[in-house]
Amino acid sequence: MVRPGITHLLILAVVALTPGLHAQDPIIRRPPQGGPGFLFRAPRVSVGLTGGFNLRSARSDVFRFFTDTLTLDRSDFYALGLAGEIAIKVAEPMDVVLSGGHARRRAASEFRNYVDQNDLPITQTTMLATTPLSAAVRWYFTPRGRQIGRFVWIPSRLRPYVGIGAGMVRYELEQEGSFVDFTDYSIFNDRLTSDGWAFMGLFMAGAQYSLGTRVFLSTDARYSRANAELRRDFAFPDGIDLSGFEFSAGLHFRL
């Protein structure tokens, strides 16, 4: 039989050792995650993909030749486009935005006032593609979100903005088919091309709408101005007008 004094000593020893045993248990620390509707900090970077419609001005002499001589309209140079962007926070109301995109349109046409020896249309196709690369500063009219305490940040639902930027735009112009030689009015087949780069300035305005903590939608309207030199098979002194309006919508992710 164990004496009462020894039993008490054993119980006290177990109780004394229990905190030590718990102290040796490993502690698993999980990285902080935002709860529903909030993050632990305001994101500094977002990435997005947008799709839009490019309304090219098409006002230089080469376009006037296309629309006067061929059955083309200025609207035949409007184009659908895709673009990607990275926005980096530099201050509470401002982001620096790096973007690149591509728009392409091909249209069929024929000479308005000429036919071939069989009284058939003299046909060709015209393609114009543009690839703009730009850097811009975007200024927001409302805060990015609300900081509650030390660990909770809630993004704003709606954020309108304006912006200004600059960059370079590459163009590719191609015509392929049958043409009239205006010196002797003979008809020949050929492929005419020109390509190059031009400086571009742009203005933008739009808004962002949050779908959640990480995802938001955007709508954007911008005007870009650019004029490039024509080369190779096209000889128009005033170059090619690459200016125009673009309207787009996109999906973005906060990082």
Side-chain angles (χ1 to χ4, degrees):
M1 179 178 293
V2 181
R3 295 181 181 180
I6 296 176
T7 301
H8 293 162
L9 291 175
L10 291 173
I11 293 172
L12 291 173
V14 172
V15 173
L17 289 174
T18 299
L21 293 174
H22 287 296
Q24 295 174 4
D25 290 342
I27 299 175
I28 300 176
R29 298 187 180 275
R30 299 182 182 275
Q33 300 290 330
F38 68 88
L39 298 172
F40 280 100
R41 61 177 178 83
R44 299 190 63 87
V45 178
S46 67
V47 297
L49 182 66
T50 63
F53 192 60
N54 192 324
L55 280 67
R56 293 169 172 147
S57 298
R59 293 189 180 279
S60 53
D61 286 344
V62 65
F63 291 114
R64 281 187 280 272
F65 174 79
F66 291 160
T67 56
D68 291 346
T69 308
L70 307 178
T71 55
L72 289 172
D73 295 319
R74 286 172 52 198
S75 60
D76 288 321
F77 298 99
Y78 296 170
L80 296 175
L82 287 175
E85 72 165 42
I86 300 175
I88 304 169
K89 175 184 174 182
V90 294
E92 172 50 38
M94 287 191 298
D95 284 349
V96 169
V97 183
L98 307 177
S99 62
H102 185 75
R104 181 187 181 96
R105 179 69 185 271
R106 184 181 295 272
S109 62
E110 59 189 66
F111 276 83
R112 292 185 184 274
N113 301 316
Y114 299 91
V115 293
D116 66 10
Q117 61 271 23
N118 298 315
D119 288 334
L120 295 175
I122 303 170
T123 61
Q124 57 288 135
T125 59
T126 303
M127 187 278 297
L128 177 61
T130 51
T131 304
L133 304 173
S134 65
V137 175
R138 199 157 57 194
W139 188 86
Y140 296 91
F141 293 102
T142 60
R144 298 172 190 274
R146 293 180 295 136
Q147 187 74 41
I148 301 175
R150 295 177 56 191
F151 302 108
V152 175
W153 183 82
I154 301 175
S156 297
R157 181 68 69 182
L158 183 66
R159 301 185 65 209
Y161 63 81
V162 294
I164 186 172
M168 301 292 292
V169 56
R170 176 175 172 78
Y171 81 92
E172 296 175 72
L173 176 64
E174 175 188 290
Q175 277 192 325
E176 187 172 10
S178 301
F179 302 91
V180 176
D181 186 338
F182 293 107
T183 59
D184 58 6
Y185 296 101
S186 61
I187 299 172
F188 63 96
N189 295 324
D190 206 346
R191 178 174 174 268
L192 311 177
T193 63
S194 180
D195 59 74
W197 289 87
F199 175 80
M200 174 184 67
L202 63 91
F203 303 90
M204 69 178 76
Q208 299 173 351
Y209 183 83
S210 290
L211 299 179
T213 56
R214 296 289 183 183
V215 182
F216 62 91
L217 295 175
S218 71
T219 58
D220 186 275
R222 62 181 62 192
Y223 174 76
S224 59
R225 186 171 181 83
N227 194 88
E229 179 184 359
L230 284 166
R231 303 188 301 170
R232 296 194 183 99
D233 302 318
F234 293 90
F236 291 86
D238 65 339
I240 180 169
D241 177 21
L242 301 175
S243 305
F245 288 92
E246 183 177 1
F247 302 92
S248 64
L251 186 66
H252 306 256
F253 300 88
R254 300 182 181 97
L255 304 181

